[in-house]
Amino acid sequence: MAWFFSTEYKDRDTGTDWTPEVERIASEHERFRAIGAQLAQDIEARYLAGPRDRNSPGYPWFGSSDVPRMLDGWPWQIPDRPFVDQFKEQQGDLVDIVSTSFTTYAISQRVIDMIEAIEPNVHQYLPYQMLQPDSSVHPDKRWLLNVCTRAEVVDIERSNVQWAKPPSDRWFIDAPGERRLLVKAKEARSRAIWSEWRYNGAQTTLISDALWNALQASGVRGWQPHFAYSRHIEEV
């Protein structure tokens, strides 16, 4: 089985989640974007040098942005120093999974260990720091999660989907009627987290039952089932 996920609300009525509000630091985002822009160039160069198969996960399309997101399955260059966010208000202890301003989540060593136990040496955890309003470094250690797998785990034949732009079979969307996706059991059970790169729906990043169950059993806060898919996605 598998799950789409989103930021977990502490109080949905007020729109409050478990992550305190952060301030974007302009210089950090300039540095982040520069690395992303170089990665985009490298991905495009590899694609142009190869067979140029637009239906392959190596196709250089980055959605509405011109740089890859860190949840979209592209390995990033590890920066020489941490990326930094700053809290708007003074903070104490933090939950294991916190939202950031860098197109991904920052996770604790505990969550990293859960991912690595299921899928070792696949994903990246980039250095990250959180500053208090007085610019002192928050003592809780977190790392930016970079999902490094672009996979095709959804069973197209058995799911209620259709191709987004026929006759191309590059991306699929939910078909009219009941929203229903099914994943291939053999594929899903070997993974912790991946980008379902062909799905042009509410979200593209999925976590397996193995990771979801480990997070829930350990009381990890920060992620909840995505509102568009409140139930798990079944295996076939």
Side-chain angles (χ1 to χ4, degrees):
M1 301 180 188
W3 302 79
F4 287 111
F5 60 91
S6 62
T7 299
E8 183 182 12
Y9 281 104
K10 194 173 187 178
D11 186 338
R12 179 175 285 277
D13 290 338
T14 63
T16 305
D17 62 49
W18 286 96
T19 304
E21 273 193 280
V22 297
E23 298 271 14
R24 290 169 57 103
I25 300 174
S27 59
E28 289 297 303
H29 277 267
E30 289 173 6
R31 185 164 66 95
F32 181 80
R33 187 169 182 79
I35 293 175
Q38 182 60 58
L39 173 59
Q41 291 181 21
D42 294 344
I43 292 169
E44 184 173 22
R46 287 196 298 270
Y47 176 77
L48 293 176
R52 303 191 187 191
D53 180 2
R54 291 169 62 89
N55 294 323
S56 75
Y59 178 58
W61 183 79
F62 310 124
S64 58
S65 173
D66 57 357
V67 299
R69 294 190 320 147
M70 294 184 70
L71 292 174
D72 286 347
W74 304 103
W76 272 59
Q77 173 189 333
I78 303 298
D80 57 0
R81 63 185 189 278
F83 291 115
V84 182
D85 275 324
Q86 188 164 26
F87 294 124
K88 289 187 175 182
E89 298 180 0
Q90 189 79 10
Q91 300 301 322
D93 293 341
L94 301 172
V95 293
D96 288 273
I97 301 172
V98 297
S99 301
T100 75
S101 65
F102 294 103
T103 72
T104 188
Y105 296 87
I107 60 177
S108 67
Q109 185 62 53
R110 183 163 70 141
V111 178
I112 291 174
D113 292 344
M114 293 177 192
I115 294 172
E116 291 298 302
I118 299 166
E119 198 176 12
N121 304 314
V122 173
H123 305 291
Q124 294 177 315
Y125 315 102
L126 278 63
Y128 176 69
Q129 282 184 342
M130 300 162 291
L131 302 182
Q132 300 280 26
D134 64 1
S135 296
S136 62
V137 177
H138 193 286
D140 289 0
K141 298 289 187 182
R142 298 290 183 271
W143 289 262
L144 292 178
L145 170 63
N146 186 41
V147 176
C148 293
T149 304
R150 294 168 65 74
E152 302 176 9
V153 181
V154 171
D155 190 315
I156 301 297
E157 300 302 322
R158 302 190 191 186
S159 299
N160 185 28
V161 298
Q162 62 188 28
W163 296 115
K165 296 180 179 179
S168 169
D169 57 358
R170 189 157 59 254
W171 298 300
F172 62 87
I173 58 176
D174 297 298
E178 179 189 4
R179 173 173 273 166
R180 185 166 182 262
L181 296 181
L182 299 171
V183 296
K184 302 170 188 174
K186 185 177 180 180
E187 286 277 342
R189 291 173 186 173
S190 66
R191 304 181 187 279
I193 187 168
W194 71 93
S195 171
E196 187 70 37
W197 75 277
R198 297 180 303 170
Y199 181 51
N200 193 16
Q203 191 168 338
T204 60
T205 313
L206 282 152
I207 60 176
S208 67
D209 248 22
L211 178 56
W212 181 260
N213 291 340
L215 295 172
Q216 300 307 303
S218 298
V220 169
R221 307 308 299 257
W223 282 341
Q224 67 181 23
H226 195 277
F227 66 89
Y229 282 94
S230 57
R231 294 177 294 114
H232 64 260
I233 299 169
E234 297 177 5
E235 296 175 354
V236 291

